[in-house]
Amino acid sequence: MLETLGTLVYEPWIYGLIVLSVLLDVFLPLLPSGILLVTAATAATAELATGPGAHLPEALVLLLCAATASVLGDFAAFSLARYGGRRFADAVARSHQLTSAQQRLGGVLARGGGPLVLLARFAPAGRSVMSFAAAAARRRTRDFLPWSATAGLLWATYSVGLGYFGGRLFGVTWGGTALSLAALTAAGLLAAHLLRRRPTASTS
């Protein structure tokens, strides 16, 4: 089935779906944008030619689409949190996942610098909290966006790389895809763990 999905990387709508998913998951963290991106990158290797760079252009397009959508979504969330007023804050408060993540990570990110933005991009719901916490801390847009862009590029490179090279190494199978997704999940759990430890490290 994944081999059949490989033909989708030639269809423009799959890129639009990825852009939309990555763009919106800053507001709806339950959207499986990472899963979609890794799976699409794996499927891009389904009809590999003999050369080592086969289907690399499709993987690069996936990477650029995901990274661009990530930055645009971060900027939208940052702008709405900073200028959207109380109504937007109330809407965020109704999300249990965002509220929980805000309690765990918000203070850390508000006090921390740019490198924490990179780490938070990999943590579950960390991207959302990162954007909202930066706005709450009154960070300047010109200070926030470069770190957001770097974080989005790193996340997209890691996700697409997992799918692309996983497909090359393990074949285009659901088992190989599961290994790539496990590596993506492990990176998220590690990032969340490191962020939660930050307050303790700062007080020692």
Side-chain angles (χ1 to χ4, degrees), residues 69-120:
S70 179
V71 178
L72 292 177
D74 288 355
F75 179 67
F78 175 82
S79 300
L80 285 172
R82 190 164 185 177
Y83 306 111
R86 187 65 191 174
R87 180 176 298 180
F88 180 77
D90 291 341
V92 171
R94 286 194 291 270
S95 169
H96 173 73
Q97 186 175 12
L98 281 180
T99 301
S100 177
Q102 182 84 47
Q103 292 171 351
R104 295 195 312 270
L105 307 178
V108 179
L109 293 174
R111 294 191 300 272
L116 287 181
V117 175
L118 306 183
L119 192 59

Side-chain angles (χ1 to χ4, degrees), residues 3 16 19 25 36 44 53-54 59 70 74 109 114 128 143 149 156 174 181 183 187 192 198:
E3 293 182 357
V19 167
D25 80 353
L36 178 62
S70 179
D74 288 355
L109 293 174
S128 305
D143 294 329
W174 289 114
L181 292 175
R198 181 76 182 197

Side-chain angles (χ1 to χ4, degrees), residues 47-187:
E47 296 178 357
L48 283 173
T50 56
H55 292 275
L56 187 57
E58 288 81 10
L60 290 176
V61 173
L62 287 172
L63 190 159
L64 291 175
C65 286
T68 301
S70 179
V71 178
L72 292 177
D74 288 355
F75 179 67
F78 175 82
S79 300
L80 285 172
R82 190 164 185 177
Y83 306 111
R86 187 65 191 174
R87 180 176 298 180
F88 180 77
D90 291 341
V92 171
R94 286 194 291 270
S95 169
H96 173 73
Q97 186 175 12
L98 281 180
T99 301
S100 177
Q102 182 84 47
Q103 292 171 351
R104 295 195 312 270
L105 307 178
V108 179
L109 293 174
R111 294 191 300 272
L116 287 181
V117 175
L118 306 183
L119 192 59
R121 184 59 183 87
F122 290 83
R127 176 192 178 200
S128 305
V129 178
M130 167 189 73
S131 301
F132 300 145
R138 310 305 295 176
R139 302 291 188 191
R140 295 176 299 182
T141 302
R142 66 184 182 184
D143 294 329
F144 171 72
L145 275 186
W147 287 105
S148 170
T150 303
L153 183 60
L154 286 176
W155 172 81
T157 300
Y158 181 71
S159 301
V160 172
L162 283 177
Y164 181 78
F165 291 107
R168 297 295 299 260
L169 291 173
F170 304 112
V172 186
T173 63
W174 289 114
T177 304
L179 288 175
S180 297
L181 292 175
L184 182 68
T185 302

